[in-house]
Amino acid sequence: MACVFEIKSNVVGPDSVCEKRDQRFRLFRLRLSVNHVLALFLVAIAGRAQTPPPNVQHRVSPDAYDRAPAAIRAALKKRNCELPETQHWDNTQLNIVRGHFASAAQSDWAAICIAADGTTSALIFWSKPATCPAQIHHGWALNGHFPPGQAGSLYLLKAPPNQILTYRKFFGDSRRNPVIHDGVEIGGEEASIIYYCYHGRWFDLQGND
């Protein structure tokens, strides 16, 4: 299409009808590109919302934890327990751990258990009789319900006394019990809770947040 120039006072003006048309066309293309990118962005977000995050763990048999004592693995299998596949972070052992969970004078074991129905609990294997129950199943950290074969970002750790006291100092803690032995820390990607054996009960203490 030929350009039609606007003529003012016998002088060709700086703008032409074609130039104005081209400006409008460029603006239209820019808006179209922006809308296209926005549409792709929204589709990508929707796709991510329906796709499991990459940090979802699979479940494995207790036998995958061959560093753990055979008796503990056998006890977990007898209960039909499975565990998250991740066994350590930066050489820190996870999910089946040894610690002083009743007192500083005795060494015990703690393990996470994911049942066949996807519910979770922590099992304590006492080396000597202890006043606290051998199973923990209360608190938000153990309220998860996982799909078949999955373990989310669940983990279990030993929480040494100095770590517990650091959390207490930083976050505050409504419980004022003394901290003189290890606790059991259970959590996921965003936060955790520490279970501490005291006077025959498992107290819920502040964990990672």
Side-chain angles (χ1 to χ4, degrees):
M1 178 178 177
C3 288
V4 179
F5 290 93
E6 294 181 351
I7 300 180
K8 298 180 181 179
S9 302
N10 299 322
V11 178
V12 178
D15 296 325
S16 68
V17 173
C18 282
E19 288 174 339
K20 292 179 180 178
R21 185 192 62 205
D22 289 343
Q23 289 175 354
R24 289 195 296 270
F25 181 66
R26 286 194 296 270
L27 181 59
F28 171 75
R29 287 196 304 176
L30 177 61
R31 289 174 178 170
L32 183 63
S33 298
V34 170
N35 290 336
H36 180 66
V37 171
L38 180 59
L40 291 176
F41 177 72
L42 293 175
V43 169
I45 290 178
R48 284 199 300 270
Q50 298 173 4
T51 303
N55 59 352
V56 169
Q57 304 174 95
H58 296 292
R59 299 187 212 169
V60 296
S61 165
D63 282 337
Y65 286 74
D66 55 5
R67 59 173 172 76
I72 291 178
R73 285 184 275 131
L76 290 170
K77 287 191 294 183
K78 187 175 181 179
R79 289 174 171 260
N80 296 316
C81 295
E82 292 183 306
L83 295 95
E85 62 183 335
T86 306
Q87 299 192 24
H88 59 82
W89 287 337
D90 298 329
N91 297 320
T92 299
Q93 293 184 352
L94 303 176
N95 303 325
I96 301 180
V97 299
R98 190 175 184 177
H100 305 287
F101 301 122
S103 72
Q106 74 178 62
S107 183
D108 313 296
W109 286 84
I112 199 74
C113 173
I114 306 176
D117 63 358
T119 57
T120 59
S121 62
L123 302 179
I124 314 299
F125 300 90
W126 303 114
S127 61
K128 298 178 182 178
T131 57
C132 287
Q135 183 174 15
I136 309 171
H137 49 74
H138 69 276
W140 65 262
L142 293 170
N143 286 339
H145 190 280
F146 298 105
Q150 294 186 14
S153 57
L154 181 68
Y155 66 84
L156 179 148
L157 281 169
K158 177 183 74 174
N162 60 340
Q163 176 186 341
I164 299 173
L165 293 172
T166 298
Y167 283 160
R168 172 173 283 178
K169 182 178 180 180
F170 186 80
F171 293 111
D173 191 341
S174 59
R175 300 187 186 276
R176 307 314 304 169
N177 59 288
V179 177
I180 54 176
H181 59 77
D182 299 326
V184 179
E185 182 176 4
I186 302 174
E189 186 176 25
E190 297 181 353
S192 68
I193 187 171
I194 294 174
Y195 297 90
Y196 189 85
C197 180
Y198 182 69
H199 283 186
R201 295 175 55 196
W202 286 105
F203 279 4
D204 301 354
L205 305 183
Q206 177 67 53
N208 186 32
D209 190 3

